Amino acid sequence: MPAINLKEIEDGMPGITPTVGKQLYEACMCCLHRSEHEQRVIFNTHKEIQEEVEAYWVDEFTEQVDRTWQDQECCTEEGAICVSALMVKNTTEYTIIERSRKGTGFDYWLGKEDGIPFQKSARLEVSGIFKGDSNTIKQRYQKKVKQTKPSDDTGLKAYISIVEFSQPFLIFAQKD
């Protein structure tokens, strides 16, 4: 079972500064805390990876963090980016190298850390669900697969990541 240290995102990636990484970590930790998970959680998974992924973190939830992340939709999306970015880094040959522009149909460009610097080699689309059932998760996955179609002409792989925090559940899959 792969294990990801969520705090690792604070180191940043070529396309995520350490400052933004800290923000993503805080949002993710907040979602997990609000879902009453205690510093370690097993994400049940679907599709191409192992049956489970372990995630662990340091719970630094405070009243100030709570006040900062009152917009649960924003908190959930940022938290999902944290999990997804680390899944890319820990289970593929890629890392996040750049945020994509609006209208591309995906969120991030992926590249190989040991390859040509900043060469766009794949795409990543991320979605977060704070609390949802299996139908919601499956529907969101199908929606995100369709959303990436406008950029299919790049010929690059597309990864779809859906993170649900309450159950918790993770779909991290290469688009067929």
Side-chain angles (χ1 to χ4, degrees), residues 138-165:
K138 289 175 189 173
Q139 288 171 353
R140 182 75 57 90
Y141 178 77
Q142 292 304 320
K143 177 182 176 185
K144 295 301 179 176
V145 166
K146 290 177 187 172
Q147 183 178 316
T148 63
K149 283 187 180 187
S151 61
D152 282 352
D153 62 351
T154 64
L156 301 175
K157 295 178 186 177
Y159 290 89
I160 310 294
S161 183
I162 311 295
V163 181
E164 196 282 342
F165 287 99

Side-chain angles (χ1 to χ4, degrees), residues 103-171:
T104 60
F106 61 98
D107 296 312
Y108 290 95
W109 288 102
L110 305 178
K112 297 179 182 178
E113 274 194 274
D114 59 352
I116 298 170
F118 308 110
Q119 181 174 344
K120 297 171 181 170
S121 304
R123 304 165 283 155
L124 173 66
E125 174 57 21
V126 177
S127 187
I129 302 169
F130 184 64
K131 186 174 184 163
D133 59 25
S134 60
N135 285 335
T136 303
I137 297 164
K138 289 175 189 173
Q139 288 171 353
R140 182 75 57 90
Y141 178 77
Q142 292 304 320
K143 177 182 176 185
K144 295 301 179 176
V145 166
K146 290 177 187 172
Q147 183 178 316
T148 63
K149 283 187 180 187
S151 61
D152 282 352
D153 62 351
T154 64
L156 301 175
K157 295 178 186 177
Y159 290 89
I160 310 294
S161 183
I162 311 295
V163 181
E164 196 282 342
F165 287 99
S166 70
Q167 294 183 35
F169 195 84
L170 171 66
I171 296 177

Side-chain angles (χ1 to χ4, degrees), residues 59-97:
D59 193 345
E60 300 167 347
F61 190 81
T62 65
E63 287 183 37
Q64 184 180 27
V65 170
D66 188 45
R67 288 190 303 273
T68 300
W69 292 101
Q70 281 299 299
D71 182 340
Q72 189 61 56
E73 184 178 334
C74 178
C75 183
T76 302
E77 190 63 24
E78 298 287 301
I81 293 168
C82 176
V83 173
S84 302
L86 292 169
M87 286 299 296
V88 166
K89 185 175 180 181
N90 289 295
T91 66
T92 75
E93 60 186 325
Y94 303 112
T95 187
I96 290 178
I97 60 166

